[in-house]
Amino acid sequence: MLNDREKILTALREKPLKIYEVMKRANLPNEEACQSLLMKMRSEGAVKFDIHKGRWLIG
């Protein structure tokens, strides 16, 4: 069974997504937990955020 981190990376491998699209594809019910996990992954360099388009993508 995949953990939340792996679910997010799997969802982002297909294409850059907005936060709600990430939550839907990764099946995460809590927006705050998803956002904090994305921010932690961003600081580690695993994902990036395109501020102009508002989408998350693989780092």
Side-chain angles (χ1 to χ4, degrees):
M1 190 161 146
L2 298 175
N3 63 19
D4 292 343
R5 183 183 206 86
E6 292 169 348
K7 289 179 185 177
I8 288 173
L9 289 174
T10 301
L12 291 176
R13 279 192 185 99
E14 297 172 22
K15 63 181 181 177
L17 301 169
K18 293 187 178 186
I19 184 69
Y20 292 109
E21 295 168 336
V22 171
M23 289 174 54
K24 185 176 176 182
R25 288 184 186 231
N27 197 18
L28 301 172
N30 188 347
E31 180 183 355
E32 291 177 18
C34 182
Q35 186 73 24
S36 66
L37 183 55
L38 282 167
M39 294 299 285
K40 183 178 178 183
M41 291 170 65
R42 186 184 80 164
S43 67
E44 296 169 355
V47 296
K48 293 181 181 177
F49 183 72
D50 182 352
I51 196 160
H52 300 290
K53 295 181 181 177
R55 298 185 184 270
W56 290 92
L57 54 134
I58 294 285

Coordinates of all heavy atoms in Angstrom, one line a residue:
M1 N 0.8 -1.2 0.0 CA 0.0 0.0 0.0 C 0.9 1.3 0.0 O 1.8 1.3 0.8 CB -0.9 0.0 1.2 CG -1.9 1.0 1.2 SD -3.2 0.5 2.4 CE -3.7 2.0 3.0
L2 N 0.6 2.2 -0.9 CA 1.4 3.4 -1.0 C 1.1 4.4 0.1 O 0.0 4.5 0.5 CB 1.1 4.1 -2.3 CG 1.4 3.3 -3.6 CD1 0.9 4.0 -4.8 CD2 2.9 3.0 -3.7
N3 N 2.2 5.1 0.6 CA 1.9 6.1 1.6 C 1.6 7.4 0.8 O 1.6 7.5 -0.4 CB 3.1 6.3 2.5 CG 4.4 6.7 1.8 OD1 4.3 7.2 0.7 ND2 5.5 6.5 2.4
D4 N 1.2 8.4 1.5 CA 0.7 9.7 0.9 C 1.8 10.3 0.0 O 1.4 10.9 -1.0 CB 0.3 10.7 2.0 CG -0.9 10.2 2.8 OD1 -1.6 9.3 2.3 OD2 -1.2 10.7 3.9
R5 N 3.0 10.3 0.4 CA 4.1 10.9 -0.3 C 4.2 10.2 -1.7 O 4.3 10.9 -2.7 CB 5.4 10.7 0.5 CG 6.6 11.3 -0.1 CD 7.8 10.9 0.8 NE 8.8 11.9 0.7 CZ 8.9 13.0 1.3 NH1 8.0 13.3 2.2 NH2 9.9 13.8 1.1
E6 N 4.2 8.9 -1.7 CA 4.3 8.1 -3.0 C 3.0 8.4 -3.9 O 3.1 8.4 -5.1 CB 4.5 6.7 -2.7 CG 5.8 6.3 -2.1 CD 5.9 4.9 -1.6 OE1 4.9 4.2 -1.5 OE2 7.0 4.5 -1.3
K7 N 1.9 8.5 -3.2 CA 0.6 8.8 -4.0 C 0.7 10.1 -4.7 O 0.3 10.3 -5.8 CB -0.6 8.8 -3.0 CG -1.0 7.4 -2.5 CD -2.2 7.6 -1.6 CE -2.6 6.3 -0.9 NZ -3.7 6.5 0.0
I8 N 1.3 11.1 -4.0 CA 1.4 12.5 -4.6 C 2.4 12.4 -5.7 O 2.1 13.0 -6.8 CB 1.9 13.5 -3.5 CG1 0.7 13.8 -2.5 CG2 2.3 14.8 -4.1 CD1 1.1 14.6 -1.3
L9 N 3.5 11.8 -5.6 CA 4.5 11.7 -6.6 C 3.9 10.9 -7.8 O 4.2 11.3 -9.0 CB 5.8 11.0 -6.1 CG 6.6 11.9 -5.2 CD1 7.8 11.1 -4.6 CD2 7.1 13.1 -5.9
T10 N 3.2 9.9 -7.6 CA 2.6 9.2 -8.7 C 1.6 10.0 -9.5 O 1.5 10.0 -10.7 CB 1.8 7.9 -8.2 OG1 2.8 7.1 -7.5 CG2 1.2 7.1 -9.3
A11 N 0.8 10.8 -8.7 CA -0.2 11.7 -9.4 C 0.5 12.8 -10.2 O 0.1 13.1 -11.3 CB -1.1 12.4 -8.3
L12 N 1.7 13.3 -9.7 CA 2.4 14.4 -10.4 C 3.2 13.9 -11.6 O 3.6 14.7 -12.4 CB 3.2 15.2 -9.4 CG 2.5 16.0 -8.4 CD1 3.4 16.6 -7.4 CD2 1.6 17.0 -9.1
R13 N 3.5 12.6 -11.7 CA 4.2 12.1 -12.8 C 3.5 12.2 -14.1 O 4.1 12.4 -15.1 CB 4.6 10.6 -12.6 CG 5.7 10.4 -11.7 CD 6.2 9.0 -11.7 NE 7.3 8.9 -10.7 CZ 7.1 8.4 -9.4 NH1 5.9 7.9 -9.1 NH2 8.1 8.3 -8.6
E14 N 2.2 12.2 -14.1 CA 1.4 12.3 -15.3 C 1.4 13.7 -15.8 O 1.6 13.9 -17.0 CB -0.1 12.0 -15.0 CG -0.2 10.5 -14.5 CD -1.7 10.2 -14.0 OE1 -2.6 10.9 -14.4 OE2 -1.8 9.2 -13.3
K15 N 1.2 14.7 -15.0 CA 1.2 16.1 -15.4 C 1.2 17.0 -14.2 O 0.8 16.6 -13.1 CB 0.0 16.5 -16.3 CG -1.3 16.3 -15.7 CD -2.5 16.6 -16.6 CE -3.8 16.5 -15.9 NZ -4.9 16.8 -16.8
P16 N 1.6 18.3 -14.4 CA 1.5 19.3 -13.2 C 0.0 19.5 -12.8 O -0.9 19.5 -13.7 CB 2.0 20.6 -13.8 CG 2.9 20.1 -15.0 CD 2.2 18.9 -15.5
L17 N -0.2 19.5 -11.5 CA -1.6 19.6 -11.0 C -1.8 20.7 -10.0 O -0.8 21.1 -9.3 CB -2.0 18.3 -10.3 CG -1.9 17.0 -11.2 CD1 -2.1 15.8 -10.3 CD2 -3.0 17.0 -12.2
K18 N -3.0 21.2 -9.9 CA -3.3 22.1 -8.8 C -3.6 21.3 -7.5 O -3.8 20.1 -7.6 CB -4.6 23.0 -9.2 CG -4.3 23.9 -10.3 CD -5.5 24.8 -10.6 CE -5.1 25.7 -11.7 NZ -6.1 26.8 -11.9
I19 N -3.6 22.0 -6.4 CA -3.7 21.3 -5.1 C -5.0 20.4 -5.0 O -4.9 19.3 -4.5 CB -3.7 22.3 -3.9 CG1 -3.7 21.6 -2.6 CG2 -4.9 23.3 -4.0 CD1 -2.4 20.9 -2.3
Y20 N -6.1 20.9 -5.5 CA -7.3 20.1 -5.4 C -7.2 18.8 -6.3 O -7.8 17.8 -6.0 CB -8.6 20.9 -5.7 CG -8.9 21.9 -4.7 CD1 -8.7 23.3 -4.9 CD2 -9.3 21.5 -3.4 CE1 -8.9 24.2 -3.9 CE2 -9.5 22.5 -2.4 CZ -9.3 23.8 -2.7 OH -9.6 24.7 -1.7
E21 N -6.6 19.0 -7.5 CA -6.4 17.9 -8.4 C -5.4 16.8 -7.7 O -5.6 15.6 -7.9 CB -5.8 18.3 -9.7 CG -6.8 19.2 -10.5 CD -6.1 19.9 -11.6 OE1 -4.9 20.1 -11.6 OE2 -6.9 20.3 -12.6
V22 N -4.4 17.3 -7.0 CA -3.5 16.4 -6.3 C -4.2 15.6 -5.3 O -4.1 14.4 -5.2 CB -2.3 17.2 -5.7 CG1 -1.5 16.3 -4.8 CG2 -1.4 17.8 -6.7
M23 N -5.1 16.3 -4.5 CA -5.8 15.7 -3.5 C -6.8 14.6 -4.0 O -6.9 13.5 -3.5 CB -6.7 16.7 -2.7 CG -5.8 17.6 -1.8 SD -6.8 18.9 -1.0 CE -8.1 18.0 -0.2
K24 N -7.4 14.9 -5.2 CA -8.4 14.0 -5.8 C -7.6 12.7 -6.3 O -8.1 11.6 -6.1 CB -9.1 14.7 -6.9 CG -10.2 13.9 -7.6 CD -10.9 14.7 -8.6 CE -11.9 13.9 -9.3 NZ -12.6 14.6 -10.4
R25 N -6.5 12.9 -7.0 CA -5.8 11.8 -7.6 C -5.1 11.0 -6.5 O -5.0 9.8 -6.7 CB -4.8 12.3 -8.6 CG -5.5 12.8 -9.9 CD -4.5 13.1 -10.9 NE -5.1 13.7 -12.1 CZ -4.9 13.3 -13.3 NH1 -4.1 12.4 -13.6 NH2 -5.6 13.9 -14.3
A26 N -4.6 11.6 -5.5 CA -3.9 10.9 -4.5 C -4.8 10.4 -3.4 O -4.4 9.7 -2.4 CB -2.8 11.8 -3.8
N27 N -6.1 10.7 -3.5 CA -7.1 10.3 -2.5 C -6.8 10.7 -1.1 O -6.8 10.0 -0.2 CB -7.3 8.8 -2.6 CG -8.6 8.4 -2.0 OD1 -9.5 9.2 -1.8 ND2 -8.7 7.1 -1.6
L28 N -6.5 12.0 -1.0 CA -6.2 12.6 0.3 C -7.4 13.5 0.8 O -7.7 14.5 0.1 CB -4.9 13.4 0.3 CG -3.7 12.7 -0.1 CD1 -2.5 13.6 -0.4 CD2 -3.3 11.6 0.9
P29 N -8.0 13.3 1.9 CA -9.2 14.0 2.3 C -8.9 15.4 2.9 O -9.7 16.2 2.9 CB -9.9 13.1 3.3 CG -8.7 12.3 3.9 CD -7.7 12.1 2.8
N30 N -7.7 15.6 3.5 CA -7.4 16.8 4.3 C -6.5 17.7 3.5 O -5.4 17.4 3.2 CB -6.8 16.4 5.6 CG -6.6 17.5 6.5 OD1 -6.8 18.7 6.1 ND2 -6.3 17.2 7.8
E31 N -7.0 18.9 3.1 CA -6.3 19.9 2.3 C -5.0 20.4 3.1 O -4.0 20.5 2.5 CB -7.2 21.0 2.0 CG -6.4 22.1 1.1 CD -7.3 23.3 0.8 OE1 -8.5 23.3 1.2 OE2 -6.7 24.2 0.2
E32 N -5.2 20.6 4.4 CA -4.0 21.2 5.1 C -2.9 20.2 5.2 O -1.7 20.5 5.1 CB -4.5 21.6 6.5 CG -5.4 22.8 6.6 CD -5.9 23.1 7.9 OE1 -5.3 22.6 8.9 OE2 -6.9 23.8 8.0
A33 N -3.2 18.9 5.4 CA -2.2 17.9 5.5 C -1.5 17.7 4.1 O -0.3 17.5 4.1 CB -2.8 16.5 6.0
C34 N -2.3 17.7 3.1 CA -1.7 17.6 1.7 C -0.8 18.8 1.4 O 0.3 18.6 0.9 CB -2.9 17.6 0.7 SG -2.3 17.3 -1.0
Q35 N -1.3 20.0 1.8 CA -0.5 21.2 1.5 C 0.8 21.2 2.3 O 1.9 21.5 1.8 CB -1.3 22.5 1.9 CG -0.6 23.7 1.5 CD -0.6 24.0 0.1 OE1 -1.4 23.6 -0.7 NE2 0.4 24.8 -0.4
S36 N 0.8 20.8 3.6 CA 2.0 20.8 4.4 C 3.0 19.7 3.9 O 4.2 19.9 3.9 CB 1.7 20.5 5.9 OG 1.1 19.3 6.1
L37 N 2.4 18.6 3.4 CA 3.3 17.5 2.9 C 3.9 18.0 1.6 O 5.1 17.8 1.3 CB 2.5 16.2 2.6 CG 3.3 15.0 2.1 CD1 4.5 14.7 3.0 CD2 2.4 13.8 2.0
L38 N 3.2 18.7 0.7 CA 3.7 19.3 -0.5 C 4.8 20.3 -0.2 O 5.9 20.3 -0.9 CB 2.7 19.9 -1.4 CG 1.8 18.9 -2.2 CD1 0.6 19.6 -2.7 CD2 2.6 18.3 -3.3
M39 N 4.6 21.1 0.8 CA 5.6 22.1 1.2 C 6.9 21.5 1.7 O 8.0 21.9 1.4 CB 5.0 23.1 2.2 CG 3.9 23.9 1.7 SD 4.3 25.0 0.4 CE 5.3 26.3 1.2
K40 N 6.7 20.4 2.5 CA 7.9 19.7 3.0 C 8.7 19.0 1.8 O 9.9 19.1 1.8 CB 7.4 18.6 4.0 CG 8.6 17.8 4.6 CD 8.0 16.8 5.6 CE 9.2 16.0 6.2 NZ 8.7 15.0 7.1
M41 N 7.9 18.5 0.9 CA 8.5 17.8 -0.3 C 9.2 18.9 -1.1 O 10.3 18.6 -1.7 CB 7.5 17.1 -1.1 CG 7.0 15.8 -0.4 SD 5.6 15.1 -1.2 CE 6.2 14.5 -2.7
R42 N 8.7 20.1 -1.2 CA 9.3 21.2 -1.9 C 10.6 21.6 -1.3 O 11.6 21.8 -2.0 CB 8.3 22.4 -2.0 CG 8.9 23.5 -2.9 CD 8.0 24.7 -2.9 NE 8.3 25.4 -1.7 CZ 7.9 26.7 -1.5 NH1 7.2 27.3 -2.4 NH2 8.3 27.3 -0.4
S43 N 10.6 21.7 0.0 CA 11.9 22.1 0.7 C 13.0 21.0 0.5 O 14.2 21.3 0.5 CB 11.7 22.4 2.1 OG 11.3 21.2 2.8
E44 N 12.6 19.7 0.3 CA 13.5 18.7 0.0 C 13.9 18.6 -1.4 O 14.9 17.9 -1.8 CB 12.9 17.3 0.4 CG 12.6 17.2 1.9 CD 11.8 16.0 2.2 OE1 11.3 15.3 1.3 OE2 11.5 15.8 3.4
G45 N 13.2 19.3 -2.3 CA 13.5 19.3 -3.7 C 12.8 18.2 -4.5 O 13.1 18.0 -5.7
A46 N 11.9 17.5 -3.9 CA 11.1 16.5 -4.6 C 10.1 17.0 -5.6 O 9.8 16.4 -6.6 CB 10.5 15.5 -3.6
V47 N 9.5 18.1 -5.2 CA 8.5 18.8 -6.1 C 8.7 20.3 -6.2 O 9.5 20.8 -5.4 CB 7.0 18.5 -5.6 CG1 6.6 17.1 -5.6 CG2 6.8 19.1 -4.2
K48 N 8.2 20.9 -7.2 CA 8.3 22.3 -7.4 C 6.9 22.9 -7.6 O 6.0 22.2 -7.9 CB 9.1 22.6 -8.7 CG 10.5 22.2 -8.6 CD 11.3 22.6 -9.8 CE 12.7 22.2 -9.8 NZ 13.4 22.5 -11.0
F49 N 6.8 24.2 -7.3 CA 5.5 24.9 -7.5 C 5.7 26.0 -8.5 O 6.6 26.9 -8.4 CB 5.0 25.5 -6.1 CG 3.7 26.2 -6.2 CD1 2.5 25.4 -6.4 CD2 3.6 27.5 -6.2 CE1 1.3 26.0 -6.5 CE2 2.4 28.2 -6.2 CZ 1.2 27.4 -6.4
D50 N 4.9 26.0 -9.5 CA 4.9 27.0 -10.6 C 3.9 28.1 -10.1 O 2.7 28.0 -10.2 CB 4.5 26.5 -11.9 CG 4.5 27.5 -13.0 OD1 4.7 28.7 -12.7 OD2 4.3 27.1 -14.2
I51 N 4.5 29.2 -9.6 CA 3.7 30.3 -9.0 C 2.8 31.0 -10.1 O 1.7 31.5 -9.8 CB 4.6 31.3 -8.3 CG1 3.7 32.2 -7.4 CG2 5.4 32.1 -9.2 CD1 4.5 32.8 -6.3
H52 N 3.2 31.0 -11.3 CA 2.5 31.7 -12.4 C 1.2 30.9 -12.8 O 0.2 31.5 -13.1 CB 3.3 31.9 -13.6 CG 4.5 32.8 -13.3 ND1 4.4 34.1 -13.0 CD2 5.8 32.5 -13.2 CE1 5.6 34.6 -12.7 NE2 6.5 33.7 -12.8
K53 N 1.3 29.6 -12.8 CA 0.2 28.7 -13.2 C -0.5 28.1 -12.0 O -1.6 27.6 -12.1 CB 0.7 27.6 -14.1 CG 1.2 28.1 -15.4 CD 1.7 26.9 -16.3 CE 2.3 27.5 -17.6 NZ 2.8 26.4 -18.4
G54 N 0.1 28.2 -10.8 CA -0.5 27.6 -9.6 C -0.6 26.1 -9.6 O -1.5 25.5 -9.1
R55 N 0.4 25.5 -10.2 CA 0.5 24.0 -10.3 C 1.7 23.4 -9.7 O 2.8 24.0 -9.7 CB 0.4 23.6 -11.8 CG -0.9 24.0 -12.4 CD -1.0 23.5 -13.8 NE -2.2 24.0 -14.5 CZ -3.4 23.3 -14.4 NH1 -3.5 22.2 -13.8 NH2 -4.4 23.8 -15.1
W56 N 1.6 22.2 -9.1 CA 2.7 21.5 -8.5 C 3.2 20.5 -9.6 O 2.4 20.0 -10.4 CB 2.2 20.7 -7.3 CG 1.9 21.6 -6.2 CD1 0.6 22.1 -5.9 CD2 2.8 22.0 -5.2 NE1 0.7 22.8 -4.7 CE2 2.0 22.8 -4.3 CE3 4.1 21.8 -4.9 CZ2 2.6 23.4 -3.2 CZ3 4.7 22.4 -3.8 CH2 3.9 23.2 -3.0
L57 N 4.5 20.3 -9.6 CA 5.1 19.4 -10.6 C 6.3 18.7 -9.9 O 6.8 19.1 -8.9 CB 5.6 20.2 -11.9 CG 6.4 21.4 -11.7 CD1 7.6 21.3 -12.7 CD2 5.6 22.6 -11.9
I58 N 6.8 17.6 -10.6 CA 7.9 16.9 -10.1 C 9.2 17.8 -10.2 O 9.4 18.4 -11.2 CB 8.1 15.6 -10.9 CG1 7.0 14.6 -10.8 CG2 9.4 14.9 -10.6 CD1 7.0 13.9 -9.5
G59 N 10.0 17.7 -9.1 CA 11.2 18.6 -9.0 C 12.3 18.0 -9.8 O 13.2 18.6 -10.2

